[in-house]
Amino acid sequence: MSHRLWFRIEDVLPLAEHALACPSHRVTRAQVAAGERNGPALTLTRTGPRGVLRSNGVPAWHTSEGDEQAAFSTSWRATAASSRQEAEENLYLPLGQANPGQRRLIDVLRASRDLHRPWLAVAPTTWPGTTLDATHVQVLDRREDIVPPGARWRPVMVTSRQVADRSYPALVADGYTTDADGLICRFDPATARLLAAETNGPWRLGTMPGEYPLLRFDGNTAVLLEERDTGDDTVLDVDDRCYPDRDGYYSIGAYRWFWHADTTASMPVRARLRLHLNALSARTRGIAARRQSWQSTPSPAEPPLETPCT
């Protein structure tokens, strides 16, 4: 199972900027364990597959409800109840200092915003007293680690407010949900393109900018877009990207849209067959492509026969 924790850059970067802007910084347990000098940093509290990032800046930053501002990771959750108690780890991520030849973590976070890479993957180490620097993070344009390895899938008709409550056939991760109790879905290519066409339909004319997301295809990549009203115009921001997985399915809106089962809709037989056959056809195409690659690779030239001396 992956140990990476997934955060949104839009949640993490404001915390990092707060830590850098503060005149002083509180000493944390993670900093003392790592033996780091005081300075702007993020602190990571990790409990099993979930993590929380906070700024160490003083004065602390609080929400309107009085809670400390934090960025929460998004992860799957097993639907079966578990009594297992997860150990808590506290880790330290310095922002402004770096080892020679390494980039500062704040520079990585700012670059991810400028490069439109909305996902931050943190790979926390497990031994105590560890400092997490830029080598422990990745900034990506799509979410990976959608489900745990070996997850099983079952066909379900699903719907979401983000698609104006329309229903679509999908494969759902059996036994897992998101932290918000949403289904984890993947769609065959035909359904994914239908979903994109319908989110751009004429029904949007009666909606407000930003009320519903958009889905468009760029080649084989599904791009999730959000409308933003600037006052003078409406612009589109890239919220996420979705690439086909090894079986050819698209996990559209994973951990971004709230998918749930539509118990009023029945799945057409044709759609059910398409869901099951898509993985087989994708793997067949992959095997054929690899075989063609092997056949087109020139074999090493044989050395010329030596002519015996006379």
Side-chain angles (χ1 to χ4, degrees), residues 23-295:
S24 59
H25 304 87
R26 64 178 181 266
V27 178
T28 65
R29 184 188 311 171
Q31 174 194 342
V32 173
E36 289 285 343
R37 63 181 184 273
N38 198 15
L42 297 176
T43 61
L44 171 62
T45 303
R46 179 192 179 195
T47 308
R50 296 172 180 81
V52 183
L53 286 171
R54 295 183 175 88
S55 164
N56 72 340
V58 177
W61 182 16
H62 292 86
T63 67
S64 57
E65 289 78 22
D67 300 320
E68 186 176 2
Q69 289 280 2
F72 298 88
S73 69
T74 56
S75 176
W76 59 76
R77 180 177 62 83
T79 55
S82 175
S83 58
R84 178 184 175 185
Q85 295 292 327
E86 300 282 0
E88 182 180 284
E89 293 179 90
N90 295 282
L91 300 166
Y92 189 71
L93 293 83
L95 292 165
Q97 60 263 27
N99 295 325
Q102 290 183 352
R103 298 183 65 189
R104 299 187 308 165
L105 181 57
I106 185 61
D107 294 330
V108 173
L109 297 176
R110 289 169 176 167
S112 68
R113 173 198 57 198
D114 298 336
L115 294 172
H116 304 290
R117 297 184 177 183
W119 288 102
L120 174 71
V122 182
T125 47
T126 55
W127 55 87
T130 300
T131 299
L132 301 185
D133 53 26
T135 63
H136 293 87
V137 306
Q138 288 179 289
V139 289
L140 300 169
D141 64 347
R142 78 280 190 189
R143 165 71 188 254
E144 297 176 349
D145 304 331
I146 301 297
V147 293
R152 300 177 66 88
W153 301 87
R154 58 187 175 88
V156 176
M157 291 296 291
V158 299
T159 186
S160 172
R161 191 205 70 82
Q162 281 82 0
V163 295
D165 299 318
R166 289 174 172 81
S167 298
Y168 298 94
L171 291 177
V172 171
D174 194 15
Y176 295 94
T177 67
T178 65
D179 289 325
D181 291 327
L183 298 178
I184 305 173
C185 308
R186 60 180 188 170
F187 303 86
D188 65 88
T191 302
R193 291 192 178 273
L194 173 64
L195 201 157
E198 293 191 347
T199 59
N200 289 272
W203 61 272
R204 296 183 65 90
L205 295 176
T207 64
M208 297 291 292
E211 186 175 354
Y212 294 97
L214 286 162
L215 177 65
R216 293 177 182 172
F217 269 84
D218 181 10
N220 289 328
T221 304
V223 184
L224 278 66
L225 302 167
E226 292 284 346
E227 292 180 319
R228 177 165 51 88
D229 190 353
T230 63
D232 298 324
D233 197 3
T234 300
V235 298
L236 295 177
D237 297 320
V238 176
D239 183 73
D240 202 2
R241 289 182 175 85
C242 182
Y243 297 82
D245 60 21
R246 65 182 296 270
D247 295 328
Y249 296 98
Y250 290 87
S251 297
I252 293 174
Y255 300 96
R256 299 299 293 159
W257 297 359
F258 183 80
W259 292 106
H260 59 93
D262 186 353
T263 57
T264 65
S266 59
M267 184 176 296
V269 175
R270 184 175 180 179
R272 188 181 296 270
L273 289 174
R274 191 173 64 237
L275 283 172
H276 286 295
L277 293 176
N278 186 77
L280 179 60
S281 60
R283 292 177 185 177
T284 302
R285 288 193 300 269
I287 293 172
R290 288 192 295 270
R291 183 176 299 169
Q292 184 178 3
S293 175
W294 296 334
Q295 291 174 349

